[in-house]
Amino acid sequence: MVTLSGVELESPLTKISELTSQIFDLGCARDDTPGCKHVIHFNNAGAALMPKRVVDAIIDHIRLESEIGGYEAAERAHDAVERVYQAAALLIGAEHDEIAMLENATRAWDMAFYAVPLKAGDRILTSMVEYGSNFIAFLQRTQRTGATVEAIPNDEHGQVSVEALGEMIDERVKLIAVTHVPTNGGLVNPAAEIGKIAREAGVLYLLDACQSIGQLPLNVKQIGCDMLSATGRKYLRGPRGTGFLYVRRQLIQRLEPPFLDVRAAQWVGSNRYEIRPDARRFENWETNYATKIGLGVAIDYALHWGLETIRKRVTSLAENLRAQLSTMPAVRLHDLGVERCGIVSFSVEGIEPEVIKQQLASQRINVSISIRSDTLLDMESRGLGKIVRSSVHYYNSEDEIERFCRAVDAIAKGAKSNVLGASERAPTS
Ligand SMILES: Cc1ncc(COP(=O)(O)O)c(C=O)c1O
């Protein structure tokens, strides 16, 4: 028997989930999310459903561009564009001049990573669950420079072993670059413990927060990272093609961006340029103003809910989902770690993940597939090929989780189910 706010609970997971949903205004969240009427969206780690106000802000700006001109619309929207820097800074406990807006998390991460000086003999330490694009960049740079990249072993729970990291540190380690939440599961790596070691050793620390931003409270000072990359379209519920980079103020001027243009620098003499002093040195000039504004609105919306509220709701829904899936004999759950988030990864014995995805899609339930090459070290070490990734957000309901589980159960048993009622069926056209 457990208690929550003094209430005794018989069946902990379901009851905690029900109680959290009573405290959380689910009706409001779903009303603000038009997509909830069309799909059961468990692909929030791919791209979440945008709230209506985000969509409106984007469309309004595009309309303004078409009516008065793109440059003129940007001038008129100056405050909304600046707001995105303030909102992103507020979200992660930074200052607005420490934020650069980029077109995705990968480019944000790249702009930081390729700016870190490396030479032969230097070491980069990373996580077992590092994302494919990051690792490809490690390989390119280590092949170019003669530096090396090493994965920090996991502890017995499957998260980065902080102890092993401590033992790996020496004067040759120039960068710790780890993924907070991997693309392929609910693991949350101990970002702040890693930060403590990085600080003590005086080693640069780059955190890939692409999958954690918007579902977990993040504070760069508490984490102790020097650089952090994030995307807009996932748990932040912003538009696709948006992302941002944080770089600690004291570090900005020590990092020369791999690319420069007229946004990042000023051409001040026929053979001279000056790089701007703030984090916008990592940006480039031409940008999508509409989606930038949309990202600002999405971040403000997340802040309005509160990141701790979001975390509680998302993790409780995910635990509920894991609990229900774990009762199915053919289902194998794959989430690692002590702390787990809204991503629930699983496979069903004897059924290809694509078949599961397709059969769920035919019932308008969205999931995605994690493939081996996206997190090669992790998948190889666990002998995994492809797995199903279901990822919940706060606007998902307990009822959707039950329907989802009924559908998975039916697929596992080789039967077709249709969990949507007649009124909810997709239009035929
Ligand atoms: C851990 C991680 N890092 C980085 C990325 C890349 O993000 P983006 O597609 O915004 O560049 C992803 C995408 O899924 C990811 O899961």
Side-chain angles (χ1 to χ4, degrees):
M1 189 79 77
V2 291
T3 61
L4 180 72
S5 304
V7 181
E8 289 200 338
L9 305 170
E10 284 161 29
S11 157
L13 284 167
T14 313
K15 295 288 179 196
I16 286 176
S17 179
E18 273 168 19
L19 270 180
T20 328
S21 78
Q22 282 162 25
I23 300 159
F24 183 83
D25 193 347
L26 181 60
C28 170
R30 290 180 73 79
D31 285 349
D32 281 355
T33 310
C36 289
K37 292 196 184 70
H38 305 285
V39 284
I40 294 181
H41 193 63
F42 283 11
N43 189 14
N44 293 289
L49 299 175
M50 283 185 278
K52 187 173 179 311
R53 68 186 69 189
V54 172
V55 178
D56 289 346
I58 297 166
I59 293 174
D60 285 353
H61 188 77
I62 288 179
R63 188 169 297 113
L64 190 64
E65 286 185 345
S66 77
E67 285 168 0
I68 68 166
Y71 286 49
E72 294 72 15
E75 267 173 41
R76 199 181 286 182
H78 176 266
D79 290 354
V81 174
E82 285 304 305
R83 174 66 204 155
V84 68
Y85 294 89
Q86 284 152 3
L90 199 57
L91 181 71
I92 60 168
E95 301 297 329
H96 68 92
D97 60 340
E98 297 176 309
I99 303 291
M101 288 292 151
L102 281 309
E103 56 268 43
N104 51 54
T106 303
R107 207 41 96 227
W109 187 95
D110 284 341
M111 291 305 282
F113 172 65
Y114 282 88
V116 173
L118 286 176
K119 59 177 187 329
D122 288 347
R123 299 168 70 203
I124 303 167
L125 304 184
T126 190
S127 66
M128 284 294 292
V129 291
E130 207 60 16
Y131 185 61
S133 298
N134 302 356
F135 213 91
I136 289 168
F138 293 147
L139 293 176
Q140 186 190 42
R141 282 204 80 200
T142 54
Q143 284 162 15
R144 280 178 181 174
T145 61
T148 56
V149 57
E150 295 152 65
I152 309 155
N154 287 337
D155 68 12
E156 69 275 26
H157 306 288
Q159 62 181 14
V160 166
S161 165
V162 178
E163 203 186 323
L165 170 62
E167 286 163 9
M168 290 170 90
I169 296 285
D170 64 19
E171 71 291 342
R172 287 166 52 219
V173 175
K174 293 291 154 36
L175 178 68
I176 298 170
V178 299
T179 292
H180 195 193
V181 167
T183 187
N184 66 337
L187 163 76
V188 182
N189 265 323
E193 281 99 317
I194 296 169
K196 195 161 172 282
I197 291 187
R199 294 275 63 75
E200 282 166 8
V203 173
L204 290 181
Y205 176 21
L206 167 57
L207 185 68
D208 177 340
C210 184
Q211 303 286 85
S212 53
I213 195 97
Q215 65 161 322
L216 302 175
L218 298 181
N219 182 299
V220 289
K221 296 194 181 72
Q222 279 165 14
I223 292 171
C225 59
D226 299 289
M227 301 158 281
L228 175 148
S229 56
T231 200
R233 73 181 185 282
K234 297 177 185 249
Y235 276 92
L236 274 179
R237 308 184 62 194
R240 295 200 66 175
T242 56
F244 69 87
L245 171 68
Y246 153 81
V247 181
R248 189 163 56 82
R249 188 181 278 152
Q250 293 77 359
L251 186 64
I252 295 173
Q253 299 200 28
R254 283 170 44 207
L255 292 182
E256 184 171 326
F259 308 115
L260 293 174
D261 76 346
V262 291
R263 168 80 168 172
Q266 204 184 350
W267 194 12
V268 291
S270 59
N271 60 358
R272 233 162 36 84
Y273 60 84
E274 282 170 8
I275 308 178
R276 55 184 298 160
D278 61 11
R280 295 186 201 190
R281 61 169 51 195
F282 299 103
E283 296 185 352
N284 56 76
W285 192 79
E286 176 53 6
T287 190
N288 187 331
Y289 284 87
T291 52
K292 213 165 168 177
I293 292 168
L295 177 59
V297 175
I299 298 175
D300 277 340
Y301 188 66
L303 291 169
H304 156 84
W305 282 103
L307 270 297
E308 185 50 29
T309 303
I310 293 173
R311 184 194 68 78
K312 279 198 191 119
R313 168 85 189 150
V314 170
T315 48
S316 123
L317 283 174
E319 282 307 325
N320 183 350
L321 176 53
R322 284 188 199 102
Q324 294 196 39
L325 288 174
S326 70
T327 63
M328 299 174 201
V331 171
R332 297 278 167 278
L333 286 163
H334 298 296
D335 301 319
L336 301 171
V338 178
E339 186 190 345
R340 290 178 303 187
C341 64
I343 303 175
V344 179
S345 58
F346 67 93
S347 50
V348 179
E349 249 170 58
I351 307 183
E352 283 301 314
E354 271 94 356
V355 173
I356 298 167
K357 181 182 168 196
Q358 207 183 347
Q359 290 199 17
L360 291 171
S362 71
Q363 299 169 66
R364 284 191 292 132
I365 301 175
N366 298 339
V367 293
S368 62
I369 309 283
S370 290
I371 58 170
R372 198 178 173 88
S373 58
D374 275 353
T375 42
L376 190 76
L377 297 185
D378 174 50
M379 297 290 258
E380 272 191 354
S381 72
R382 292 198 276 161
L384 294 172
K386 291 176 181 171
I387 53 179
V388 182
R389 183 182 71 176
S390 49
S391 44
V392 292
H393 216 319
Y394 59 79
Y395 55 74
N396 290 124
S397 66
E398 283 73 7
D399 180 50
E400 286 181 324
I401 287 179
E402 272 176 31
R403 292 184 197 193
F404 177 84
C405 290
R406 279 208 304 278
V408 173
D409 195 37
I411 294 167
K413 289 176 176 152
K416 282 234 166 177
S417 71
N418 192 342
V419 295
L420 297 175
S423 61
E424 296 163 307
R425 294 224 169 90
T428 45
S429 59

